Amino acid sequence: MMEQGGYRGAKAGPSGTTPLQGRNQSSRSTFKPSLAALGKVVSTLVLALVFYTALRNWTHGGNRPSKYLLGVGKADITGPVVEINMMGYADPKQVGSGLRQRLYSRAFIVVDINHPEDRFVYLVLDTQSGDTAIRYGILDGVASLGSDYSVYGQNNVAVTGTHSHSGPGAWLNYLLPQITSRGFDRQSYRAIVDGAVLSIQRAHSSLQPGYLSVGSTKVVGANINRSLYGYLANPEAERKKYNASAEDDGSVEKTLTLLRFQRASDGKNTGVLTWFPTHGTSMLGNNTLISGDNKGVAADLFEKSFSKDDDTVAEGFVAGFSQANVGDTSPNVLGAWCEDSTGQQCSFKNSTCSNGKSQDCHARGPFFRKKDNGAASCFEIGKRQYEPARALYDSLNTKGIAIVGSSVKSFHIFQDMSNFSFPLDNGSYVATCPAALGYSFAAGTSDGPGAFDFTQNDPKAPNASPVWRVVSGFIKEPSEDQRRCHYPKPILLDVGEVTSPYLWTPNVVDIQILRVGQLVIIVSPGEATTMSGRRWKESVHNEASSLALSGSSSVEPIVVIGGPANSYTHYIATEEEYGIQRYEGASTLYGPYTLNAYINLTTTYLPYLRASSNRNPAPGPLPPNNVNKSLSFITGVVFDRPPLFKSFGEVKEDVRPSYRIGSEVSATFVGANPRNNLRLEQTFAAVEKMGEGTSRWERVRDDSDWSLVYNWKRRSEVLGTSEVEVVWESEESAEMGKYRIRYFGDSKSAGGAITAFEGVSGEFVLV
């Protein structure tokens, strides 16, 4: 549970007294020292000494760490885990069939302690991206919490997604991503919105004075560039700046940045927020189990890595693993190979195989030979992010940089990108275009190949069948002006100019930056490629430095980029990468100057982040909220019924009497549709262990644990029957002992009533 009360004065003691009153009372009694009491005193003194030493070490340009109000919070956002199309691969056949790991919203709040109206919220959702409708829902939900929450709004709330491709879909604002999910599902949408609001509420309730420190480290083996041919189109001199070694050749960012939240009252750490780029595509396109992909693994490993008696960590510690310039990265680090008779690597230029098509080209994760839809590789890539992040965290007292400068600022505007005119550095004026997607968009990537005869690297005159030009024209024939604006992108889908039945994709985008002290966070609505992110960060860094945003010219700005956030605007490629028209360039919505436009807008509004600034920019044109007009062809649960002579929760296939540690344990139950009750903040399944020397059962695993898998299968649509298999992939670290599996379900009657039930397996021992 998150500690409550926050910055509201001293907490009451067990008998309702304040700590001061408690000390006065105890002073009247006889003092009886003991070894336990002495040990506690020594422990407290050591912790105080460590904290004091850390404060002395946190210097940057001779500055002491500044104090802020800090809060962290976490809440469940797991939507419907079955019968809903998954969001990310855009494959209508990829429909949820169960749960491998619950999804969460993690909220981080930073407040200027002297001007508490200046604050920001950074949300990390285990979703494919941020979204306009989701953000509207979150802001409405926070506003409904009362006057204490009126300090949060459009200007200072950032909604980022980890870019997991393993979550339920059908919650996005615009029509294009709704097509493969058969429309919009309110249950999926509300799970994300309500959980995000709850995480903000918990973070707000936990606000207390504290300190921030930041550090960075290299992460090896967790990402590669999946569009290296496009990356190499960038100027050689620019690429050389980032070529550190053979292992770190600059083709992707290897740097992980970590921000630590530390409570001032006792020096305990309450959370960390990290930024590192690798796609949430470790779980493959044939996976149908819900999870947070590799970022969800990393966050879970970090949060569960502390022992119960660790005095340096506060209860309710939250670890957020946010994306960075993720656009052309892949976690499938063994590269792209042809799954055909040749067994060769995919072509370097366009990721095709011997037949000239992309369908057989698949990227490989570390354990690609395991037939588990990417699960082992996903866990490994998550671990490869967690381990260096945890090592950096452990060294931050001596190697960290204090965040200094007490001011906290943010700005947010909406910008219509359909025709935004602005000057380049050379003085010439250029403009963005109404959103459009190119032919290579339909080719997909080696992480998730597309269909038909589309290929990547297809600029100017596409090689795909001319039939697609006719199909494209049925949707919307682009004008000559639109073609010229997007050149050399051949337009497949002129989505920015289609408004029926409602907008297919956004033209109005979010421009947002957050700042605390010298830390500047670019909140990107699209997936910036490696070089796009570098250019963007460098421009913001230079402008922030010239403005001395933190209040001191001697303090070097630290700039990170997080996203995809707030709304999903697909990709942001450099102009050179755009000319190549691989997937990332074809998916850059607003033409070849998209990146330049984002840089121009963010640097233009940076003066609003000055410590002396007391106003916000004009908000700009509001994007539509399509929640109440979105189409839906998703059917709900009609009813559940157990097979004849069976009851809900009854065991169909029981466990064996014993298993070796590290074995897979499973039990199958008469089930019901999990869409009847999402069991948010609860669990669908658990592993229970008999307590040592007792007859009490203690829960040791639930469905937030990677090793516990919940599978649901519909047996008969007509009869309403289904079954649930619960699988525990027992870890090598599991303890010997007596166990059992428990299943929690909810059935729906033909009349609509929903009834909870449970099922319990037989007992088994791990040996």
Side-chain angles (χ1 to χ4, degrees):
M1 292 292 291
M2 182 61 60
E3 293 187 20
Q4 302 295 311
Y7 187 54
R8 296 179 182 173
K11 293 184 181 179
S15 61
T17 63
T18 66
L20 180 60
Q21 291 169 328
R23 285 197 298 271
N24 289 339
Q25 289 172 356
S26 64
S27 67
R28 299 189 190 106
S29 61
T30 303
F31 179 65
K32 295 181 180 179
S34 66
L35 287 177
L38 185 61
K40 193 169 183 180
V41 170
V42 172
S43 169
T44 303
L45 288 173
V46 169
L47 183 60
L49 181 60
V50 168
F51 185 46
Y52 174 71
T53 304
L55 285 177
R56 293 195 63 182
N57 286 329
W58 294 348
T59 58
H60 190 105
N63 293 295
R64 294 268 181 185
S66 296
K67 190 177 285 187
Y68 309 94
L69 291 180
L70 305 175
V72 299
K74 174 182 171 183
D76 194 345
I77 60 169
T78 311
V81 301
V82 303
E83 299 186 316
I84 297 291
N85 181 242
M86 296 170 74
M87 176 59 199
Y89 288 111
D91 182 355
K93 300 189 298 296
Q94 190 190 22
V95 176
S97 67
L99 179 66
R100 179 171 273 280
Q101 181 190 49
R102 282 201 169 260
L103 311 182
Y104 293 96
S105 168
R106 294 172 170 91
F108 300 84
I109 301 180
V110 179
V111 183
D112 185 329
I113 200 166
N114 299 313
H115 302 280
E117 68 278 7
D118 290 335
R119 63 179 67 205
F120 64 73
V121 182
Y122 191 94
L123 286 175
V124 183
L125 307 180
D126 285 334
T127 59
Q128 182 267 346
S129 65
D131 171 70
T132 299
I134 292 290
R135 190 167 185 269
Y136 273 134
I138 292 169
L139 292 176
D140 288 345
V142 170
S144 71
L145 296 175
S147 59
D148 283 354
Y149 292 83
S150 62
V151 287
Y152 304 107
Q154 289 280 10
N155 197 58
N156 61 4
V157 176
V159 182
T160 80
T162 60
H163 204 46
S164 167
H165 285 43
S166 299
W171 43 263
L172 287 99
N173 191 55
Y174 295 95
L175 182 63
L176 183 63
Q178 295 176 1
I179 291 173
T180 53
S181 65
R182 294 189 294 140
F184 183 85
D185 183 73
R186 192 167 291 271
Q187 186 184 43
S188 186
Y189 165 82
R190 288 257 45 115
I192 299 170
V193 168
D194 293 346
V197 171
L198 181 57
S199 71
I200 293 173
Q201 189 175 12
R202 287 172 172 167
H204 179 84
S205 297
S206 75
L207 284 170
Q208 291 191 39
Y211 304 100
L212 295 169
S213 56
V214 67
S216 64
T217 190
K218 294 292 184 179
V219 175
V220 178
N223 62 359
I224 60 169
N225 195 308
R226 69 185 186 189
S227 283
L228 188 57
Y229 186 77
Y231 174 81
L232 292 176
N234 294 306
E236 183 180 7
E238 184 180 29
R239 289 186 278 112
K240 277 185 175 178
K241 292 193 300 183
Y242 305 101
N243 191 338
S245 65
E247 191 174 54
D248 185 10
D249 64 1
S251 59
V252 288
E253 294 275 14
K254 295 290 187 184
T255 299
L256 178 145
T257 302
L258 182 146
L259 181 68
R260 183 180 65 182
F261 290 61
Q262 187 169 44
R263 209 158 54 194
S265 60
D266 55 10
K268 290 188 177 183
N269 301 321
T270 60
V272 295
L273 179 54
T274 76
W275 292 270
F276 175 78
T278 191
H279 249 82
T281 50
S282 289
M283 298 301 296
L284 304 177
N286 58 359
N287 165 62
T288 56
L289 293 175
I290 301 302
S291 79
D293 211 275
N294 56 68
K295 293 285 186 184
V297 169
D300 188 61
L301 287 173
F302 205 117
E303 289 169 350
K304 293 176 178 175
S305 67
F306 303 103
S307 64
K308 292 181 180 179
D309 57 354
D310 191 331
D311 288 335
T312 68
V313 179
E315 185 180 2
F317 184 97
V318 178
F321 277 72
S322 188
Q323 282 292 357
N325 42 334
V326 64
D328 50 2
T329 67
S330 172
N332 297 308
V333 294
L334 299 185
W337 296 78
C338 292
E339 306 290 345
D340 58 13
S341 58
T342 68
Q344 301 296 308
Q345 284 193 290
C346 306
S347 77
F348 181 59
K349 288 187 177 182
N350 62 7
S351 299
T352 57
C353 292
S354 57
N355 60 3
K357 295 185 178 183
S358 61
Q359 284 74 50
D360 292 329
C361 177
H362 292 277
R364 295 176 173 178
F367 296 107
F368 76 96
R369 294 193 186 280
K370 288 194 173 184
K371 303 303 180 184
D372 59 1
N373 305 331
S377 291
C378 182
F379 189 85
E380 178 65 20
I381 295 297
K383 190 172 74 167
R384 291 181 187 182
Q385 292 170 79
Y386 152 69
E387 288 178 340
R390 179 60 204 263
L392 172 61
Y393 167 88
D394 290 337
S395 68
L396 217 55
N397 282 347
T398 55
K399 297 181 180 178
I401 298 171
I403 299 299
V404 297
S406 60
S407 68
V408 177
K409 296 291 181 181
S410 61
F411 74 75
H412 175 281
I413 66 161
F414 291 111
Q415 175 65 49
D416 189 342
M417 295 285 261
S418 59
N419 186 20
F420 172 56
S421 179
F422 61 97
L424 297 175
D425 289 342
N426 62 14
S428 62
Y429 270 77
V430 294
T432 54
C433 328
L437 292 160
Y439 273 63
S440 295
F441 160 77
T445 72
S446 54
D447 287 336
F452 307 109
D453 54 350
F454 296 99
T455 62
Q456 296 193 68
N457 183 23
D458 210 358
K460 300 176 183 177
N463 294 320
S465 166
V467 170
W468 295 111
R469 206 164 295 158
V470 177
V471 173
S472 171
F474 278 133
I475 298 170
K476 167 70 172 63
E477 182 71 28
S479 66
E480 282 306 310
D481 283 346
Q482 178 76 326
R483 292 183 197 276
R484 279 194 296 270
C485 190
H486 280 274
Y487 186 84
K489 177 201 292 176
I491 296 174
L492 175 67
L493 298 173
D494 192 15
V495 286
E497 297 188 306
V498 183
T499 59
S500 179
Y502 42 92
L503 279 172
W504 283 45
T505 204
N507 281 320
V508 174
V509 306
D510 300 74
I511 305 295
Q512 186 176 37
I513 292 191
L514 315 174
R515 181 183 69 77
V516 50
Q518 77 270 38
L519 178 67
V520 181
I521 306 170
I522 301 169
V523 183
S524 173
E527 299 178 54
T529 62
T530 297
M531 195 61 83
S532 289
R534 286 169 174 161
R535 291 182 188 177
W536 199 351
K537 287 189 291 183
E538 184 178 26
S539 296
V540 168
H541 172 277
N542 293 342
E543 187 66 18
S545 183
S546 68
L547 293 169
L549 290 182
S550 64
S552 172
S553 58
S554 66
V555 179
E556 187 74 9
I558 299 169
V559 183
V560 295
I561 184 169
N566 295 332
S567 183
Y568 184 58
T569 63
H570 292 257
Y571 283 71
I572 306 170
T574 67
E575 190 177 347
E576 294 86 352
E577 293 162 354
Y578 186 92
I580 297 297
Q581 282 295 293
R582 281 181 61 90
Y583 177 81
E584 293 78 16
S587 303
T588 296
L589 288 180
Y590 308 112
Y593 302 109
T594 297
L595 171 62
N596 305 80
Y598 280 118
I599 291 174
N600 175 276
L601 287 161
T602 47
T603 54
T604 296
Y605 288 99
L606 272 184
Y608 285 95
L609 301 183
R610 281 191 173 118
S612 59
S613 177
N614 57 7
R615 59 194 181 94
N616 298 321
L622 291 175
N625 185 352
N626 295 323
V627 167
N628 293 323
K629 64 168 67 171
S630 287
L631 301 173
S632 181
F633 301 94
I634 300 169
T635 56
V637 180
V638 180
F639 65 89
D640 297 285
R641 188 173 292 155
L644 200 61
F645 308 120
K646 298 284 186 181
S647 58
F648 289 116
E650 189 172 330
V651 177
K652 294 183 69 176
E653 294 182 34
D654 210 348
V655 296
R656 299 200 307 267
S658 68
Y659 298 85
R660 292 276 186 187
I661 289 176
S663 298
E664 193 174 276
V665 184
S666 67
T668 304
F669 303 86
V670 175
N673 198 310
R675 286 201 284 159
N676 295 327
N677 182 352
L678 301 182
R679 294 197 163 264
L680 292 163
E681 304 282 313
Q682 302 176 61
T683 188
F684 287 118
V687 175
E688 297 175 338
K689 183 176 184 291
M690 178 75 77
E692 292 291 335
T694 73
S695 57
R696 292 196 306 271
W697 290 99
E698 301 170 357
R699 183 178 297 182
V700 294
R701 301 286 186 279
D702 60 28
D703 62 18
S704 72
D705 290 296
W706 186 260
S707 61
L708 191 62
V709 182
Y710 170 93
N711 294 295
W712 179 84
K713 183 180 287 187
R714 168 69 70 193
R715 278 303 180 189
S716 171
E717 194 79 43
V718 175
L719 299 177
T721 55
S722 63
E723 68 181 29
V724 164
E725 181 192 36
V726 179
V727 179
W728 180 28
E729 299 167 350
S730 67
E731 308 88 344
E732 294 296 336
S733 59
E735 298 177 349
M736 291 189 295
K738 184 181 292 185
Y739 293 86
R740 67 184 185 184
I741 291 174
R742 187 180 289 273
Y743 159 51
F744 302 91
D746 299 87
S747 64
K748 183 176 182 179
S749 70
I754 294 177
T755 305
F757 63 86
E758 295 182 14
V760 182
S761 76
E763 298 173 6
F764 63 94
V765 293
L766 278 188
V767 294

